Amino acid sequence: MTPERSAAPWATTARDLYLVAMAVFVVTILIGILNGADVVEFDRNAILTHVHSGTVGWLTLTIVASTFLLFRAADRRLMLALAVLVPVYVLAFYTGNFAFRAIGGTALLAGIVWLLYWAWTTYLSSDRTLPRLAVVLGLTSFGYGAVVGVLMQVALALEISILPGDAVGAHASAMTFGYLVLTAMGIIEWQILGTRGLPGLGLVQVGALFLGGLIISVALLAGVEQIGGMLYLLTQLVAVVIFVIRVWPRALGRSWTDADPARHFGAASLWAVAALVLFMYIVFTFITAEDPENALPFNILIASDHAVYIGVITNTVVGLLSLLFMRGRAAAWVTQVIFWGVNLGLAVFVVGLIVDTAEIKRIGAPVMGVTLLLALGLLASRLWSTSPDTTELEAT
């Protein structure tokens, strides 16, 4: 029996999008391994390809696929559009052609508007739960972050100035913490707590994350970084404390040695807090420094980004896919290697970035990257040949 005949249409659509995301992620990993180990010195175009194949390719496509699972609904035409538009946009960065980037970005932005329309109409017409609200608000942050990013590419192509202030910072902050962490927390909440309805404390947590991401982006564009930064720190502190109180007891109160896919969600909850704390430190340093531009700790910024990209989102996606396709179908030692290789490799890499020591980074990057390739290969083979068990999607 083929997966298409035995699985729900929304699950099949999600599976197909995960496969596209995995193909794009291979590009991210290979550049990351070679760059992190200082084997190859890449130019700016290759580094931007690494960043966008990871953020827009792997992270966004897997978040959209996970949204299909969360809502138990999907639009296959939307999936096919994103499956084409995203790789084309990533290719545009590799070419270094500003016109190609502007055209590809504009086309992708149309797809993002379609995604937001689908997400909000589906949310409003279905059970309105806190996990679903978090994901929809996260995608909304992705939408306004994408507008800033595309306008930046159009400005480069036309050699004009469109956006005021720090457009790069506004774009990056929207795409990472206003978007990725918020959507990931929604999926973690779904899997760890199985939250139904809209509990008040949870609404404060989600609202603070969304509002903080919007504030910091607007503040960077408007040139009022100090005021925006202080408000951002307040909102994120509130969100972190509430998340720890609500989610950590359940997320961390399980065995970390058993080959259980659910521990990936526990690890993601740890990395979410670590990433936010690191970024809050960056914002605090930036708004209190006499010379903010020269005081910005780029090594810690990169550490924070990777904590989100791999620690939060990738852990969450591997956990979901393991529940769907691998529970009881893979040797325990394989799942142990994947879990510990990714998380310990990332931890070493992040420490190397924080202390700015190349030798430590050269250990963490290959371990993390090779383990991710192993995980992708195993998961892709399962996705290709196995029907997803959607009964495993209930809270664990």
Side-chain angles (χ1 to χ4, degrees):
M1 182 179 294
T2 63
E4 287 80 8
R5 292 177 181 174
S6 59
W10 52 267
T12 300
T13 299
R15 180 207 62 188
D16 293 345
L17 193 56
Y18 279 126
L19 285 169
V20 175
M22 289 177 181
V24 179
F25 196 33
V26 171
V27 176
T28 313
I29 295 172
L30 292 178
I31 295 176
I33 291 174
L34 296 174
N35 186 62
D38 293 328
V39 175
V40 178
E41 185 174 348
F42 291 100
D43 63 15
R44 179 172 174 77
N45 291 329
I47 295 300
L48 287 173
T49 302
H50 169 70
V51 170
H52 287 84
S53 63
T55 55
V56 183
W58 167 247
L59 301 179
T60 292
L61 292 181
T62 54
I63 284 172
V64 175
S66 301
T67 302
F68 292 160
L69 298 180
L70 173 62
F71 280 94
R72 294 181 174 264
D75 185 326
R76 190 161 186 85
R77 295 172 302 168
L78 172 61
M79 182 277 289
L80 292 172
L82 294 175
V84 173
L85 292 171
V86 167
V88 168
Y89 191 49
V90 171
L91 176 62
F93 278 93
Y94 184 76
T95 65
N97 186 297
F98 291 149
F100 189 5
R101 292 180 186 177
I103 294 170
T106 302
L108 179 56
L109 184 58
I112 293 170
V113 171
W114 183 1
L115 169 64
L116 287 176
Y117 173 79
W118 177 87
W120 275 106
T121 54
T122 304
Y123 172 76
L124 294 173
S125 62
S126 63
D127 293 337
R128 300 178 190 179
T129 67
L130 187 66
R132 292 179 175 182
L133 177 62
V135 169
V136 171
L137 287 176
L139 290 173
T140 302
S141 298
F142 172 54
Y144 69 72
V147 170
V148 174
V150 171
L151 288 177
M152 288 167 54
Q153 298 307 319
V154 171
L156 288 171
L158 298 178
E159 298 182 346
I160 60 174
S161 178
I162 296 177
L163 294 169
D166 182 2
V168 174
H171 172 65
S173 58
M175 297 303 249
T176 302
F177 293 92
Y179 162 43
L180 296 177
V181 172
L182 181 52
T183 53
M185 282 189 175
I187 296 171
I188 292 168
E189 173 120 8
W190 167 41
Q191 283 300 301
I192 294 296
L193 301 181
T195 304
R196 301 289 183 182
L198 300 167
L201 203 57
L203 281 174
V204 174
Q205 171 197 316
V206 168
L209 279 169
F210 177 74
L211 184 61
L214 182 61
I215 286 173
I216 194 67
S217 293
V218 172
L220 287 167
L221 288 174
V224 289
E225 294 88 350
Q226 280 71 26
I227 297 174
M230 288 187 289
L231 292 173
Y232 174 82
L233 290 174
L234 177 62
T235 59
Q236 301 313 282
L237 181 61
V238 169
V240 166
V241 170
I242 294 176
F243 180 77
V244 168
I245 292 172
R246 295 182 62 250
V247 178
W248 267 20
R250 182 79 172 269
L252 306 185
R254 62 179 70 246
S255 172
W256 290 83
T257 56
D258 292 344
D260 182 2
R263 63 183 168 166
H264 283 281
F265 305 120
S269 71
L270 285 172
W271 282 113
V273 173
L276 278 170
V277 169
L278 286 174
F279 192 67
M280 289 165 66
Y281 168 78
I282 293 166
V283 172
F284 177 80
T285 301
F286 183 77
I287 65 176
T288 57
E290 293 183 3
D291 185 5
E293 292 185 5
N294 293 325
L296 189 64
F298 285 103
N299 57 318
I300 297 180
L301 177 61
I302 297 172
S304 178
D305 286 346
H306 280 80
V308 174
Y309 302 162
I310 306 299
V312 181
I313 301 296
T314 300
N315 259 314
T316 300
V317 171
V318 171
L320 281 176
L321 293 179
S322 297
L323 284 172
L324 284 168
F325 296 97
M326 286 178 58
R327 187 189 282 270
R329 300 171 181 170
W333 70 267
V334 174
T335 58
Q336 296 285 15
V337 167
I338 291 173
F339 178 79
W340 293 110
V342 169
N343 286 286
L344 292 181
L346 174 61
V348 171
F349 184 63
V350 166
V351 169
L353 286 167
I354 292 174
V355 301
D356 202 15
T357 302
E359 289 75 15
I360 298 177
K361 291 188 290 182
R362 290 183 188 130
I363 296 172
V367 170
M368 175 177 61
V370 170
T371 308
L372 283 170
L373 287 174
L374 170 65
L376 284 184
L378 179 60
L379 287 169
S381 67
R382 295 293 185 184
L383 265 68
W384 190 263
S385 61
T386 309
S387 177
D389 184 2
T390 55
T391 61
E392 295 284 354
L393 289 177
E394 299 305 318
T396 55

